[in-house]
Amino acid sequence: MDVFEAIKSRRTTNGYFLDKPLSDEHIKILLQSASYAPSHFNSQPWRFVLIRDKARREHLGKIAGRSMREVMAKGNFWKRYLKYFRFSKEETDKSGDGIHIDNMPAVLKPFIKYLFSEKGGEMMNKLRVPYLLAIDSKKLVSRSPLILGVLLTKDEYKKDDLSGMYSLLALGMAIENIWLAATALGIGVQFISLPMEAGGAYWQECIDMVQPPENYELIALFRFGYIDPNAKRPTIDWSSTQRKPVSEFCYEETFGNKWIPKE
Ligand SMILES: Cc1cc2nc3c(=O)[nH]c(=O)nc-3n(C[C@H](O)[C@H](O)[C@H](O)COP(=O)(O)O)c2cc1C
């Protein structure tokens, strides 16, 4: 696959993957792709842990489900990120960013905008939205053939130090390399952030599963699997294919002076 084609077709996979383990050959390609990412002084500060064992994936699925339910029921997650929620194609076209909640049970449709609003919390819980999201989240994680734990060495990842920022940048580049290689191989990827968003005991349980030594920090978890073109969408789902035009985020010489590329 041509690089630019891979960049443009890379997507987050929200739904289920094929019920088929990833081949070792493909996993190796993904991780070799990570290793070719740039890093400060070629430090390669990243480490990865493959979680493929079924019982362990199911355990992570339970953590994902429980954390989703708690975070959604509390309301702080979606209130915090409300500015990125869109409810129509017109809204997404206008802003060019955010996520469009475009799939939900028919009974929720008339309320959706209200549900995801400052005042929607009580109604959200009454209509069991956190429960619906949690059921899907648990199944999506536990049925993914591969969960990838992504870590950084604390020798570099120091929060108040430039090397902390450098190592996060490098890790982002390594993850993107993995994601692009996955795209070329027909493998889907999704960030699993709810245990981290829930924090506390939920995130600690994930750390306990990965068992990083003292000088490594678990930064994120991702799920991987072969893309199923016929996969059913999650009960409540979103899409985010829209992008801002270059002229809206790139400036010439000084910030604010829009760069408008020639057609
Ligand atoms: C730091 C970070 C956190 C993210 N968290 C989540 C997440 O919790 N769940 C999810 O499905 N996608 C998550 N995403 C994916 C974004 O929602 C997604 O990249 C964005 O909507 C654009 O869609 P695309 O990846 O399909 O192009 C995350 C991405 C990044 C970079």
Side-chain angles (χ1 to χ4, degrees), residues 12-16 68 85-87 99-105 108-109 112 116 129 132-133 136 140 190 223 231-240:
T12 291
T13 303
N14 293 356
Y16 294 94
M68 173 68 87
F85 285 61
R86 313 275 176 262
F87 301 97
I99 61 168
H100 179 195
I101 317 274
D102 60 355
N103 194 53
M104 72 211 79
L108 292 183
K109 271 186 193 161
I112 200 73
F116 289 93
V129 172
L132 293 175
L133 288 166
D136 267 341
L140 285 161
Q190 189 180 30
R223 61 181 197 96
K232 169 175 147 270
R233 296 188 76 184
T235 316
I236 299 175
D237 196 18
W238 49 270
S239 59
S240 52

Side-chain angles (χ1 to χ4, degrees), residues 92-143:
T92 60
D93 288 347
K94 194 166 165 219
S95 70
D97 61 10
I99 61 168
H100 179 195
I101 317 274
D102 60 355
N103 194 53
M104 72 211 79
V107 323
L108 292 183
K109 271 186 193 161
F111 308 104
I112 200 73
K113 204 162 179 171
Y114 177 73
L115 283 174
F116 289 93
S117 74
E118 280 292 337
K119 292 184 184 148
E122 214 174 295
M123 172 90 103
M124 172 113 52
N125 289 335
K126 223 180 246 174
L127 292 173
R128 304 179 80 212
V129 172
Y131 170 79
L132 293 175
L133 288 166
I135 296 268
D136 267 341
S137 179
K138 177 182 166 193
K139 287 198 272 186
L140 285 161
V141 171
S142 56
R143 292 184 193 170

